[in-house]
Amino acid sequence: MLAKLLMIPGPINFDHEVVRAMSKMTCSHIAPEFREIFGDTLKKLKEVFISEGQPFVIAGSGTLAMEMAATNVIQRGEKALVVNNGVFGDRFVDIFKAHGIDVDQIQTEWGKAADPAEIREKLESDDYKVITITHVDTSTGIANDLEAIGNVVKDFDTLYIVDAVCSLAGQRLYQDKYHVDVCLSGSQKALGVPPGLALLCFNQRALDAHAKLKQPVECFYTSVNNWLPIMQAYENNMPSYFATPAVNLIFALHESVNQILAEGMEVRFARHEKLAAMMRKGLTDMDFKLVPENGCAANTMSAVYHNGITDAEFRGQLSQEGVIVAGGLGRLKGKIFRVGHMGSINENDICATLGAIQRTLDLF
Ligand code: PMP
């Protein structure tokens, strides 16, 4: 069977060397060779988050990373503010509620980015321990302006948590420069590693907030207390154990992070920017309308309204043409399709996708 192009917003088509790294014989999680690989990966991840903070890599998906962020710096009786642009804002609200934390929201119209002035006003109106925002909302394809929002949040005591599941290592993001206290992601998107790893980077302010919590955290597997010594031990090439790391996924992550840094973060951001512009131009030339309004479209994926062909017919035929794209989420289900353009993709992948979409349109 001929492999199809997997152009959904994660998981994506992974680089062969990354997949090959994953297929190495599994070793002990405390073996010297693994300690060296994991330690080197953690050190290099700081260059990917562009932060001096403490990276954490644990087995799980992006949602687990959200939950780890949400449960380690805020507790019952404190208030969270969720900037909600779509499905993944809703998810943060649900996570806080599940942990008994009071949550307020700023809801933007779907397709619009958050307004920093509105965020300032809201932060002035109450005492929020944390604010969360989705960098690239995968349900609408918008990218929020993390830098402008960071410049607002830094004027408050509020901790700035960013969901970078659909952006880290693709969409421009400098954790420290943007004053982000906790940045979180998943392996399966622009980081270019098969699903199964939750990644976070806590800066010192977030670690201090964790240390100052008045009650014990209401989580166990995701407790920073349990993982911090483990991450530090790996960085220092020391054997340690709390829960077994996903050894082979970390082999893959190591290879991918090496590739990312060999390309260079700036070059990588620029490549994603260029490929996203190419994709958007191709789609709008075919008379498609994008979900994001006013220049806030993300560089890692596009959300696109269907024009005349049903979702099932469109995506079914496109798959026959060799390209898989995703359907809509939440209230956009059936109305849009979503194309991922992140990771190790190139211009040929964009052209192949646009060509397959054109062939699909020609059939209806
Ligand atoms: N946040 C965003 C922005 C996402 O795109 C996703 C996954 N699509 C998640 C969180 C949840 O990640 P996961 O599915 O890996 O749990």
Side-chain angles (χ1 to χ4, degrees):
M1 192 185 74
L2 208 59
K4 294 185 181 184
L5 259 185
L6 184 59
M7 298 294 283
I8 65 173
I12 57 167
N13 278 133
F14 301 109
D15 179 86
H16 289 294
E17 289 306 318
V18 171
V19 178
R20 212 189 316 273
M22 208 172 148
S23 69
K24 274 197 307 210
M25 190 61 82
T26 308
C27 63
S28 158
H29 56 287
I30 54 166
E33 63 262 42
F34 182 68
R35 295 196 322 246
E36 202 176 309
I37 284 176
F38 199 177
D40 192 49
T41 307
L42 288 167
K43 285 178 197 145
K44 287 177 174 163
L45 275 175
K46 295 180 200 208
E47 295 175 54
V48 176
F49 283 102
I50 318 191
S51 172
E52 298 288 313
Q54 174 63 55
F56 293 81
V57 179
I58 65 175
S61 77
T63 305
L64 189 88
M66 294 170 80
E67 190 151 20
M68 183 158 171
T71 50
N72 278 284
V73 289
I74 180 166
Q75 294 190 310
R76 278 170 207 274
E78 297 176 319
K79 236 174 165 178
L81 175 62
V82 172
V83 181
N84 188 342
N85 304 93
V87 164
F88 296 100
D90 289 344
R91 181 163 301 190
F92 245 136
V93 172
D94 291 342
I95 291 173
F96 285 123
K97 284 187 177 162
H99 290 278
I101 290 159
D102 269 0
V103 50
D104 275 356
Q105 299 182 54
I106 294 178
Q107 291 198 309
T108 65
E109 236 173 88
W110 280 33
K112 288 197 173 146
D115 172 9
E118 194 185 345
I119 291 174
R120 180 178 293 282
E121 228 170 84
K122 192 79 182 161
L123 288 175
E124 279 166 351
S125 76
D126 209 334
D127 193 12
Y128 293 106
K129 178 77 176 287
V130 304
I131 179 171
T132 72
I133 189 157
T134 318
H135 189 190
V136 170
D137 192 288
T138 323
S139 57
T140 61
I142 64 105
N144 280 305
D145 185 345
L146 288 191
E147 184 169 25
I149 296 165
N151 281 331
V152 168
V153 181
K154 78 171 178 9
D155 294 340
F156 299 83
D157 287 337
T158 310
L159 291 160
Y160 188 23
I161 300 179
V162 168
D163 170 352
V165 172
C166 196
S167 63
L168 186 70
Q171 188 86 26
R172 205 170 287 280
L173 195 176
Y174 309 85
Q175 178 171 351
D176 287 358
K177 185 174 162 207
Y178 291 176
H179 310 286
V180 175
D181 296 300
V182 181
C183 188
L184 66 98
S185 196
S187 52
Q188 73 273 24
K189 304 204 189 216
L191 272 172
V193 178
L197 292 177
L199 299 100
L200 302 99
C201 187
F202 278 59
N203 72 5
Q204 197 52 49
R205 194 163 168 252
L207 290 174
D208 290 346
H210 170 76
K212 282 191 215 136
L213 288 176
K214 294 197 179 73
Q215 305 137 40
V217 290
E218 292 189 30
C219 57
F220 182 73
Y221 178 68
T222 50
S223 161
V224 161
N225 274 341
N226 288 333
W227 284 112
L228 183 59
I230 307 301
M231 296 300 134
Q232 289 169 338
Y234 275 112
E235 279 188 50
N236 292 311
N237 205 346
M238 300 292 288
S240 64
Y241 168 72
F242 162 58
T244 311
V247 170
N248 288 57
L249 278 170
I250 287 163
F251 289 157
L253 178 64
H254 187 239
E255 171 62 29
S256 192
V257 165
N258 280 337
Q259 288 184 7
I260 289 168
L261 296 181
E263 180 178 19
M265 295 305 291
E266 289 304 324
V267 175
R268 193 171 176 91
F269 292 148
R271 174 168 59 82
H272 280 78
E273 215 163 272
K274 183 174 157 205
L275 295 179
M278 219 175 132
M279 179 63 83
R280 288 195 292 265
K281 166 115 181 39
L283 289 167
T284 48
D285 283 354
M286 285 186 256
D287 287 335
F288 283 107
K289 186 175 173 299
L290 302 171
V291 178
E293 294 173 15
N294 312 327
C296 66
N299 292 333
T300 49
M301 62 158 296
S302 296
V304 192
Y305 286 106
H306 282 298
N307 56 5
I309 309 172
T310 67
D311 184 55
E313 280 176 324
F314 178 80
R315 289 193 296 123
Q317 185 57 43
L318 193 58
S319 170
Q320 297 294 312
E321 301 293 334
V323 175
I324 297 169
V325 297
L329 293 176
R331 68 184 86 148
L332 289 174
K333 196 174 169 62
K335 297 187 180 141
I336 67 163
F337 65 95
R338 297 174 305 133
V339 192
H341 28 83
M342 57 189 144
S344 57
I345 59 158
N346 57 35
E347 278 129 337
N348 289 341
D349 300 320
I350 302 289
C351 291
T353 302
L354 291 170
I357 291 175
Q358 185 62 66
R359 291 197 300 282
T360 298
L361 294 181
D362 290 347
L363 284 173
F364 287 90

